[in-house]
Amino acid sequence: MLKMHWLAMIMCLYAGLASARTEEDQQASNTDGIPNSPPVQCFYRQAIDCPNIGADSNECPCKKITLANVVEPHAALCCNINSQTLEYGLSCMGFPWLNISYVHIRNATLDVFKTSERRWRQLKSLAMTDGRISRVKGQFLMKTPIVCLNLSNNALVEVENNSLTRLEQLATLDLSYNNLTHLPALNTNGREFWLDISGTNTLWCHDIYQYINRTGEMQITFNRENETVCSASKTWHWFNTTEQVPLKQVRYLSSLQTECPKGDTWQCQCNVSRMDIVEGKPPTFAVYVDCSGIQLTELPEKLPRNTITLNVSYNNITVLDDLSTNPCYEDLREFYADYNNITSINKLEGSKFLDNYALLSLRYNKIKSLPTYILSPNVYNKNFATLSSRLVKLGGNELHCDCNTAKFLKTRILDADEVMCENEKRKVLELDVARMCVYPGDWTDYIYYIIGIEVMILIGLIVKVSYDYWVLKTAGYLPWPANRMPKLPCDWLCERFTK
């Protein structure tokens, strides 16, 4: 009895260690709570398992495989087939009449793989890998019980958008190492769903983002996420290109809405506008924040990372102090604050915003004066090592116009035809520079003449004194009028010392 007691204790201790070891293994293989591989695996065989037939042989390119420890043990492996031999290969082994539930086709060369054919109706796992298949067209039949679909490494360029929507039990989809640009619609239906798109670097990030950013029935898990990148269009003025972005960078977008500015009664909208590329750094998404028309009285206190565009138009904002004092605004490139109650932008002087901005739109506010430094024609862009033009919009404001207004606003404001002069009662475009830059005369206008006359008199005196001294030394007398001048006490003193 004592032995049984000790045996039970040892078994409990072993079970505890085994359980702890299992949890440790799970944690070691789980990063960020995401397992490394999907729970459902497709039926898959290596090339060495293919039927051994010659190039000109009439033997069947498919063979039946019996699986162990599965409910439906019948599987089929086909290798090196094309559109002509596919029908023969599947027929010569009796598919689909032998209750085959798992099929793996290796090295198939097909222009189109038709999913609507009845032969796939009873499958639970279908793998078509390591071949040359250009397109997937058609829809799987209703109630097709496929749980795992593997179309990897086929150079696929298209999967029709609705091809997979009827697969209500599909849990694992492998589209890795293909040339797809768009992801087909996926019927996840609230269940656990695994997708592998590693190596398919041509997929647009926008298609992937819609599944990362949503929760519930639309959310999916990406297999081999660390090896997955997508393509994003980058537009920067005249420069267009395509950049590959790591999937982890795309995941940042899923948290974008949580960082988006919001209050008790208002909510801004945050979206991605383009790609920003800085030499020596990975490409990042540039964020566009839209806070227009939500009754704001001041600028948002915080902005998401990588915010380059902010729109606060149609609000009740009166000051723009945050543009010069808040670090969140230092990297803004485009700022829209149309239809507000802004009266001055003088506090922007010396701010980092003025060093970086490319577009400043303050249409229909109450601005009376515009500092000329706001209108500097270009700025050095440190990200691209180029000079970028500045764009300013001020339409709908009534400025106090002067000579600087006439000189600069006409050529450096995009909508100068909509800017009025409150003191001239005309548009800025109608200002006459010659008339606006004439100043009324006063005594300061003659200061240069006075200085010139004084310099000439001084030069004349120096010449006369030098001449008199020369005459005195050579002739022994002072010329007129020097000899007619009355003697002064200093002259008597000088004569005494010379004797």
Side-chain angles (χ1 to χ4, degrees):
M1 187 69 179
L2 185 59
K3 291 182 177 179
M4 292 295 294
H5 178 71
W6 279 104
L7 180 61
M9 290 183 62
I10 292 173
M11 292 180 65
C12 289
L13 180 60
Y14 175 78
L17 290 173
S19 176
R21 181 60 185 168
T22 301
E23 293 178 359
E24 182 181 350
D25 292 342
Q26 288 177 348
Q27 291 176 358
S29 62
N30 186 344
T31 59
D32 299 329
I34 301 175
N36 288 330
S37 59
V40 179
Q41 302 286 344
C42 290
F43 169 69
Y44 184 91
R45 286 294 183 270
Q46 299 292 338
I48 195 173
D49 297 326
C50 288
N52 188 14
I53 59 176
D56 299 327
S57 175
N58 291 325
E59 295 182 40
C60 188
C62 302
K63 70 177 182 179
K64 180 180 177 182
I65 298 176
T66 301
L67 306 176
N69 302 323
V70 294
V71 178
E72 296 91 354
H74 303 299
L77 173 63
C78 302
C79 301
N80 308 316
I81 62 174
N82 53 37
S83 56
Q84 287 76 33
T85 59
L86 175 62
E87 184 73 29
Y88 167 72
L90 294 174
S91 299
C92 65
M93 61 161 293
F95 179 80
W97 298 282
L98 292 180
N99 296 323
I100 293 176
S101 299
Y102 310 93
V103 171
H104 182 195
I105 301 175
R106 292 186 63 93
N107 193 25
T109 303
L110 303 172
D111 289 333
V112 177
F113 168 52
K114 298 179 181 179
T115 60
S116 58
E117 294 179 351
R118 296 190 60 84
R119 60 167 59 99
W120 319 121
R121 177 67 178 81
Q122 300 300 324
L123 291 182
K124 295 195 174 200
S125 172
L126 174 60
M128 300 185 70
T129 69
D130 309 291
R132 299 289 298 181
I133 303 175
S134 297
R135 291 173 173 80
V136 176
K137 294 196 173 184
Q139 282 184 291
F140 284 97
L141 298 179
M142 295 292 293
K143 304 300 181 181
T144 299
I146 289 180
V147 178
C148 183
L149 178 62
N150 185 351
L151 299 174
S152 63
N153 199 24
N154 283 301
L156 273 172
V157 296
E158 179 189 8
V159 177
E160 278 193 346
N161 189 55
N162 61 353
S163 291
L164 312 180
T165 53
R166 291 179 178 176
L167 299 180
E168 299 177 353
Q169 300 182 42
L170 184 64
T172 301
L173 174 62
D174 191 341
L175 296 174
S176 61
Y177 295 95
N178 284 294
N179 299 323
L180 298 172
T181 55
H182 294 286
L183 194 64
L186 303 177
N187 180 6
T188 60
N189 198 25
R191 63 186 177 276
E192 183 179 12
F193 193 96
W194 283 74
L195 174 65
D196 191 343
I197 53 173
S198 58
T200 307
N201 303 337
T202 51
L203 269 173
W204 289 112
C205 293
H206 180 272
D207 288 16
I208 301 171
Y209 169 68
Q210 64 176 320
Y211 293 103
I212 292 179
N213 193 42
R214 299 183 183 181
T215 58
E217 66 177 20
M218 294 298 293
Q219 193 171 22
I220 62 178
T221 303
F222 289 88
N223 191 26
R224 296 190 286 185
E225 179 173 329
N226 292 335
E227 306 170 33
T228 303
V229 300
C230 60
S231 295
S233 176
K234 173 202 169 292
T235 302
W236 185 260
H237 297 288
W238 65 89
F239 183 58
N240 295 317
T241 187
T242 299
E243 295 297 334
Q244 292 183 349
V245 185
L247 186 59
K248 286 188 175 181
Q249 182 70 46
V250 184
R251 280 197 177 278
Y252 162 67
L253 303 183
S254 64
S255 64
L256 182 59
Q257 296 306 320
T258 62
E259 298 181 14
C260 201
K262 60 184 175 181
D264 295 334
T265 58
W266 55 272
Q267 169 75 60
C268 299
Q269 300 297 320
C270 298
N271 295 290
V272 172
S273 61
R274 60 172 180 261
M275 287 292 301
D276 262 2
I277 300 176
V278 180
E279 185 177 356
K281 296 182 180 180
T284 58
F285 284 102
V287 177
Y288 170 82
V289 179
D290 185 2
C291 300
S292 60
I294 54 176
Q295 301 302 312
L296 290 179
T297 57
E298 58 185 14
L299 294 177
E301 182 179 355
K302 293 184 178 180
L303 297 176
R305 292 168 294 166
N306 306 324
T307 298
I308 56 97
T309 303
L310 175 63
N311 187 354
V312 291
S313 301
Y314 298 95
N315 285 296
N316 299 314
I317 296 172
T318 57
V319 294
L320 301 178
D321 292 358
D322 278 340
L323 283 180
S324 57
T325 61
N326 192 331
C328 293
Y329 289 79
E330 291 179 356
D331 295 326
L332 274 184
R333 300 272 305 158
E334 301 174 4
F335 181 72
Y336 301 83
D338 305 334
Y339 294 92
N340 280 278
N341 297 313
I342 301 166
T343 58
S344 174
I345 56 176
N346 292 333
K347 289 189 177 182
L348 297 184
E349 183 177 6
S351 65
K352 289 189 177 181
F353 169 76
L354 288 186
D355 294 335
N356 295 328
Y357 90 92
L359 188 147
L360 176 63
S361 183
L362 300 171
R363 291 168 52 81
Y364 292 92
N365 280 277
K366 299 178 180 179
I367 298 173
K368 299 299 182 182
S369 63
L370 187 69
T372 55
Y373 56 77
I374 296 289
L375 300 175
S376 56
N378 49 47
V379 61
Y380 181 76
N381 189 328
K382 60 185 178 181
N383 290 349
F384 295 90
T386 59
L387 286 175
S388 300
S389 299
R390 295 182 186 272
L391 306 178
V392 178
K393 294 183 178 181
L394 284 174
N397 289 281
E398 292 189 3
L399 303 179
H400 183 84
C401 295
D402 54 18
C403 179
N404 287 332
T405 308
K407 285 182 178 180
F408 299 112
L409 264 66
K410 294 173 67 174
T411 58
R412 298 183 186 176
I413 292 185
L414 289 180
D415 53 357
D417 60 323
E418 300 180 47
V419 182
M420 299 294 296
C421 296
E422 64 169 359
N423 55 323
E424 291 290 327
K425 302 305 179 185
R426 66 181 66 188
K427 294 181 179 181
V428 169
L429 284 183
E430 298 173 355
L431 293 178
D432 184 0
V433 177
R435 187 180 66 84
M436 295 295 296
C437 295
V438 174
Y439 300 98
D442 55 25
W443 71 270
T444 58
D445 294 338
Y446 305 102
I447 190 68
Y448 297 108
Y449 298 105
I450 296 174
I451 293 174
I453 293 173
E454 289 178 346
V455 170
M456 293 175 64
I457 293 174
L458 178 60
I459 293 173
L461 289 174
I462 293 173
V463 172
K464 182 65 172 73
V465 170
S466 300
Y467 173 74
D468 290 347
Y469 178 77
W470 176 79
V471 171
L472 179 63
K473 285 292 187 181
T474 56
Y477 67 92
L478 287 173
W480 191 93
N483 61 354
R484 300 294 183 181
M485 292 180 63
K487 291 186 177 181
L488 298 176
C490 61
D491 297 328
W492 173 82
L493 184 60
C494 292
E495 290 177 356
R496 183 176 179 181
F497 280 102
T498 56
K499 288 181 178 180

